[in-house]
Amino acid sequence: MLYSIGNYTIINPHIENGVFKGTLIDIYDYHLLLKLSHSINFKTLVINDLAFLLQLIGIIKNYYSIIPIEFVL
């Protein structure tokens, strides 16, 4: 899950009885990483960049995550 949620949108945000509620929507597409960083290991880099290439040539498509969320305030 660490790398799953990137730039997301929360729709229908509201507070109900001291609880923040909404729906998180994230459209995931792969971006070419090319090099290691302190937060990405080699295995993750290779898998991500391979997925980017598969996405680029149309073998895989972007996917959506739709997650209901609640936070007690």
Side-chain angles (χ1 to χ4, degrees), residues 3 33-42 45:
Y3 301 112
L33 298 175
L34 288 178
K35 63 180 183 175
L36 292 173
S37 72
H38 67 280
S39 62
I40 297 173
N41 65 38
F42 182 73
L45 175 84

Side-chain angles (χ1 to χ4, degrees), residues 7-42:
N7 297 318
Y8 59 86
T9 301
I10 296 178
I11 59 170
N12 192 26
H14 61 282
I15 297 174
E16 184 179 308
N17 298 323
V19 177
F20 175 84
K21 296 182 178 189
T23 303
L24 183 147
I25 296 180
D26 184 46
I27 302 170
Y28 196 85
D29 59 340
Y30 293 93
H31 300 281
L32 192 60
L33 298 175
L34 288 178
K35 63 180 183 175
L36 292 173
S37 72
H38 67 280
S39 62
I40 297 173
N41 65 38
F42 182 73

